[in-house]
């Protein structure tokens, strides 16, 4: 089991957030926040598969369902990954005035040596914040349906509530991506963490469908 989870974590880490983020940063030099918000939308749309997955688990079991999903990843994701191309230059977006975050950034922010980054307190604060986000997000994905089942909800209903939660997040992903290009990122980051914390408090005491969504 440890080897399985290690393999899954390695594949997710290499093939999802870091790779996509690096590709977007290389391709877009303006409105990156909006672009990243738009790219995150399909991730939320993927939650539409949850009710079907819950039905497969109920009918076939965990092992067979995971096998089917693994084959699906090979059939869909590997061909799509071949569409990606390395970017030698940068695709210019529409001209716009620099954001507050860009104005506050150091002029030589591109090409900073790795050693200098590792010595920066800002890097370690951001790393800790990202680790905290990853911990709560992974915990949410792992435990939300078992939590709702323990609260007396049927598995299919719990999966549907989770889908609604993700779908409702789509406007927020786009809005906060747009906002990231226009406001101080530190305040926006803090505000997002505050919202996530409040959401987890509500979820831990959810007794009605609308509490989850």
């Amino acid at each position: 089991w440890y080897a399985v989870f290690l393999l899954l974590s390695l594949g997710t880490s290499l093939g999802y957030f870091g790779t996509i983020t690096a590709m977007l940063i290389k391709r877009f030099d303006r409105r990156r926040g909006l672009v990243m918000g738009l790219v995150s939308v399909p991730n939320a749309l993927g939650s539409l598969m949850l009710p079907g997955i819950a039905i497969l688990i109920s009918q076939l079991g965990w092992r067979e369902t995971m096998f089917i999903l693994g084959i699906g990843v090979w059939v869909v994701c590997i061909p799509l990954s071949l569409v990606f191309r390395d970017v030698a230059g940068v695709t210019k977006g529409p001209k716009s005035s620099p954001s507050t975050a860009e104005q506050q950034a150091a002029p030589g922010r591109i090409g900073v040596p790795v050693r200098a980054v590792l010595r920066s307190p800002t890097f370690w604060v951001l790393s800790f914040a990202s680790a905290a986000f990853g911990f709560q997000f992974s915990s949410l994905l792992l435990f939300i349906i078992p939590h709702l089942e323990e609260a007396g909800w049927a598995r299919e209903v719990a999966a549907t509530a989770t889908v609604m939660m993700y779908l409702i997040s789509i406007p927020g992903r786009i809005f906060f991506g747009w906002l990231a290009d226009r406001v101080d990122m530190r305040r926006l980051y803090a505000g997002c963490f505050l919202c996530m914390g409040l959401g987890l408090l509500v979820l831990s005491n959810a007794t009605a469908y609308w509490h989850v969504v």
Side-chain angles (χ1 to χ4, degrees):
W1 284 106
Y2 289 110
V4 170
F5 287 126
L6 178 62
L7 186 61
L8 287 173
S9 299
L10 182 63
T12 302
S13 300
L14 293 177
Y16 175 51
F17 186 76
T19 304
I20 293 177
T21 301
M23 182 186 66
L24 293 178
I25 290 175
K26 291 173 66 177
R27 182 171 290 275
F28 296 93
D29 67 336
R30 294 189 184 276
R31 299 183 181 177
R32 287 173 177 163
L34 178 59
V35 170
M36 295 184 70
L38 292 172
V39 168
S40 71
V41 169
N43 178 265
L45 294 176
S47 64
L48 293 171
M49 296 179 60
L50 287 176
I53 293 173
I55 293 173
L56 284 177
I57 292 173
S58 299
Q59 299 295 324
L60 302 178
W62 283 95
R63 185 185 301 273
E64 290 76 9
T65 301
M66 293 300 103
F67 179 80
I68 293 173
L69 293 177
I71 296 298
V73 169
W74 282 355
V75 172
V76 176
C77 295
I78 292 179
L80 288 178
S81 68
L82 300 178
V83 178
F84 292 161
R85 293 291 184 271
D86 194 16
V87 183
V90 177
T91 301
K92 302 292 184 180
K95 295 296 182 181
S96 61
S97 59
S99 67
T100 304
E102 290 174 335
Q103 292 173 354
Q104 293 176 346
R109 61 180 178 176
I110 303 300
V112 179
V114 175
R115 291 182 179 179
V117 173
L118 294 177
R119 289 195 298 266
S120 170
T122 302
F123 169 78
W124 293 107
V125 171
L126 288 173
S127 297
F128 177 78
S130 297
F133 167 77
F135 176 78
Q136 72 84 23
F137 186 70
S138 300
S139 300
L140 179 64
L141 292 179
L142 182 61
F143 295 117
I144 182 170
I145 292 182
H147 167 67
L148 295 177
E149 286 184 293
E150 189 176 284
W153 299 33
R155 178 178 297 165
E156 290 77 9
V157 176
T160 303
T162 306
V163 170
M164 292 302 299
M165 179 184 69
Y166 277 100
L167 293 181
I168 290 176
S169 76
I170 290 177
R173 293 167 187 250
I174 299 174
F175 172 73
F176 282 107
W178 172 84
L179 198 61
D181 295 322
R182 289 164 171 78
V183 303
D184 187 342
M185 286 295 296
R186 295 170 297 180
R187 295 182 179 180
L188 182 61
Y189 213 36
C192 289
F193 276 116
L194 178 62
C195 290
M196 286 189 292
L198 292 175
L200 289 176
L201 289 176
V202 173
L203 179 61
S204 65
N205 297 281
T207 57
Y209 191 89
W210 67 273
H211 290 166
V212 179
V213 300

